[in-house]
Amino acid sequence: MVAYQAPSTASPAHKTFAQFVSAFNAFNIDGMLATFDDDSFEFIILPTAMKVPKMNKQQFGAYMKSTLGPSFDGMSITVHNVIEAENTIVAHAQSDSISKQGTEWHNEYIFIFKFTAGPSPKITSYTEYVNSAFVAGFTAQEAKKRKAKAKAVL
């Protein structure tokens, strides 16, 4: 995995985005949370068919620690493209890993990040468009493996 590097001419918001990606690649959930605004942060997963509720910073941290932490030992993000305008970054990315049960994870995303203004911006909004077909297949494989493991224990 090649670490994401913001360009030398990166805006403060782009540098914050790079910090978020670095924290994610280090599987450092607290590091990710440190890039978020304490008061106005919101996280949204789309499409809405995923039925994941909108979350604030505290809820996002709990969600990540209860879903990713128990399921994976690590995960990497590869950023393919970044577009930036007016305190907003849109990025095309993918994440790759293998679950603790041995299921491969290769998801593709469009991220939309919005930032506070100023020299040290924080992320106020993180919208994640996921490959819902992939997530459904992954979830089904994981459930099948958990069921088989539970039967083996009996």
Side-chain angles (χ1 to χ4, degrees), residues 22-57:
S22 293
F24 197 106
N25 280 332
F27 217 55
N28 179 351
I29 295 169
D30 291 330
M32 293 166 56
L33 293 173
T35 65
F36 300 158
D37 186 68
D38 289 331
D39 300 320
S40 63
F41 176 79
E42 84 177 356
F43 173 69
I44 301 165
I45 290 183
L46 296 173
T48 55
M50 297 290 295
K51 297 185 178 168
V52 178
K54 190 182 299 186
M55 295 174 223
N56 63 26
K57 182 177 178 175

Side-chain angles (χ1 to χ4, degrees), residues 14-153:
H14 200 138
K15 290 176 184 174
T16 298
F17 170 74
Q19 290 171 353
F20 169 84
V21 171
S22 293
F24 197 106
N25 280 332
F27 217 55
N28 179 351
I29 295 169
D30 291 330
M32 293 166 56
L33 293 173
T35 65
F36 300 158
D37 186 68
D38 289 331
D39 300 320
S40 63
F41 176 79
E42 84 177 356
F43 173 69
I44 301 165
I45 290 183
L46 296 173
T48 55
M50 297 290 295
K51 297 185 178 168
V52 178
K54 190 182 299 186
M55 295 174 223
N56 63 26
K57 182 177 178 175
Q58 181 180 2
Q59 292 164 330
F60 176 84
Y63 173 77
M64 294 297 281
K65 290 174 182 176
S66 68
T67 58
L68 269 121
S71 300
F72 297 94
D73 289 322
M75 187 175 287
S76 64
I77 291 182
T78 302
V79 177
H80 298 296
N81 195 16
V82 174
I83 300 168
E84 181 176 3
E86 298 180 26
N87 290 330
T88 300
I89 285 184
V90 178
H92 171 219
Q94 74 183 51
S95 62
D96 299 288
S97 189
I98 297 176
S99 76
K100 290 180 180 178
Q101 295 193 87
T103 308
E104 289 192 19
W105 175 270
H106 305 288
N107 201 359
E108 188 172 14
Y109 309 87
I110 295 296
F111 296 136
I112 302 173
F113 288 89
K114 295 186 183 282
F115 300 85
T116 58
S120 300
K122 294 288 188 175
I123 297 167
T124 59
S125 176
Y126 168 19
T127 301
E128 182 176 292
Y129 292 84
V130 302
N131 178 341
S132 56
F134 172 80
V135 173
F138 173 85
T139 302
Q141 288 179 42
E142 288 282 285
K144 186 177 177 181
K145 288 178 180 181
R146 277 192 301 278
K147 188 175 181 180
K149 190 175 183 179
K151 278 187 179 180
V153 172

